[in-house]
Amino acid sequence: MLGDHSGLPAERALLSQPPKAGLSCKTVLQAVGKVLRKSKAKPNGKKPAAEEKKVYLEPEYAKSRITDFGFKELVVLPREIDLNEWLASNTTTFFHHVNLQYSTISEFCTGEACQTMAVCNTQYYWHDERGKKLKCTAPQYVDFVMSSVQKLVTDEDVFPTKYGREFPSSFEALVKKICKYLFHVLAHIYSAHFKETLALELHGHLNTLYVHFILFAREFNLLDPKETAVMDDLTEALCGGGGGDGPGGAAGAQNHVKER
């Protein structure tokens, strides 16, 4: 049974320093515009040049956190907690925080700026309930992700909250699916919208969320290394280890545009 998890240490840590409030739309746009003019970056959603510098890897930004919380210890399953309860509680929390993080830059993630759901050299396609592959813009893809995940986490047959209700046998597979989609959204924010995040001074929140999410996924094998290889350099910088040097790791990542 999934109960009220608003008091989780993980959630308290992530929310301990909330985003700055009171920013007017004009102030936000001016700040973002200033950063983008300096960057000379290509428009979001387009394949970046091979030599383009990844700003999020610069040490001064990669070291930014909103807390020094020990996430490696935090993600470990508590002795008295059921595994499915732990997965459900944390997955729901991650969903809300990734959704919140994306909302801070959503006005810049438009169909015109992000014409495809791209992360570095990888382009993602949405698959509908019939399994049909759909090419869509990044905001459309994220909307599909958030809508489908919201539907799952509020479904009593999947994420039970009432006493006596059991988790379905497919629960772990569904959690892995959710984590894959949330990873795509986080990776897109870094790849296409880090400069806006930096201008809003929310990169510390983004880094903290990414570290917590990746370490949790590692602890319970919720993400395929081949899936996360696209961001192995970031994972190495933030978490002290990427996907390894195997076929699915950084050494095995292909340089040409991939489709998923």
Side-chain angles (χ1 to χ4, degrees):
M1 179 182 69
L2 175 61
D4 179 12
H5 50 271
S6 60
L8 281 176
E11 189 164 2
R12 291 203 303 272
L14 287 172
L15 293 176
S16 60
Q17 296 185 23
K20 293 183 177 181
L23 290 175
S24 67
C25 182
K26 182 178 180 180
T27 301
V28 170
L29 291 173
Q30 288 176 340
V32 173
K34 183 177 180 181
V35 171
L36 294 180
R37 283 195 296 273
K38 290 181 179 180
S39 70
K40 296 182 180 180
K42 287 192 174 183
N44 293 334
K46 294 186 178 181
K47 180 181 176 182
E51 66 275 8
E52 183 179 346
K53 191 172 184 179
K54 296 178 179 178
V55 180
Y56 53 78
L57 295 179
E58 294 183 13
E60 63 178 308
Y61 303 133
K63 69 181 180 181
S64 180
R65 305 284 192 281
I66 62 170
T67 178
D68 293 326
F69 215 90
F71 286 112
K72 287 186 178 181
E73 291 74 28
L74 182 64
V75 300
V76 175
L77 177 67
R79 186 177 304 175
E80 68 280 6
I81 301 296
D82 173 74
L83 174 60
N84 284 340
E85 289 275 5
W86 189 238
L87 292 177
S89 181
N90 281 273
T91 299
T92 304
T93 299
F94 284 129
F95 162 63
H96 290 305
H97 284 296
V98 173
N99 192 22
L100 178 62
Q101 190 75 48
Y102 178 78
S103 71
T104 65
I105 54 84
S106 60
E107 65 180 300
F108 308 106
C109 187
T110 64
E112 181 179 355
C114 300
Q115 298 178 15
T116 62
M117 180 59 181
V119 174
C120 299
N121 294 328
T122 299
Q123 183 174 326
Y124 297 107
Y125 293 84
W126 183 256
H127 293 78
D128 64 16
E129 295 179 354
R130 300 178 182 177
K132 183 179 179 181
K133 184 177 179 180
L134 303 175
K135 182 179 180 179
C136 50
T137 65
Q140 287 175 327
Y141 186 96
V142 175
D143 185 59
F144 285 144
V145 167
M146 297 307 173
S147 297
S148 62
V149 175
Q150 176 71 28
K151 184 177 179 180
L152 284 173
V153 300
T154 56
D155 187 340
E156 278 290 324
D157 293 328
V158 181
F159 281 72
T161 61
K162 298 178 181 178
Y163 181 77
R165 297 293 295 270
E166 299 292 333
F167 288 93
S169 58
S170 60
F171 183 70
E172 185 175 343
L174 290 172
V175 168
K176 288 182 178 181
K177 183 178 181 180
I178 292 173
C179 287
K180 180 181 72 172
Y181 288 146
L182 295 182
F183 173 79
H184 292 171
V185 177
L186 283 173
H188 180 72
I189 296 174
Y190 273 105
S191 178
H193 300 289
F194 187 75
K195 294 180 180 68
E196 291 97 329
T197 301
L198 188 61
L200 295 171
E201 299 182 16
L202 295 175
H203 53 295
H205 290 77
L206 180 60
N207 288 344
T208 303
L209 175 57
Y210 186 87
V211 170
H212 188 190
F213 176 72
I214 290 296
L215 292 180
F216 183 83
R218 279 184 180 175
E219 179 71 15
F220 300 100
N221 299 313
L222 301 176
L223 287 171
D224 187 335
K226 293 181 180 179
E227 191 71 48
T228 58
V230 66
M231 300 300 287
D232 272 353
D233 50 4
L234 174 66
T235 303
E236 174 69 35
L238 298 186
C239 306
D245 293 327
Q254 298 178 358
N255 293 322
H256 62 276
V257 176
K258 295 172 286 185
E259 298 180 356
R260 294 186 183 278

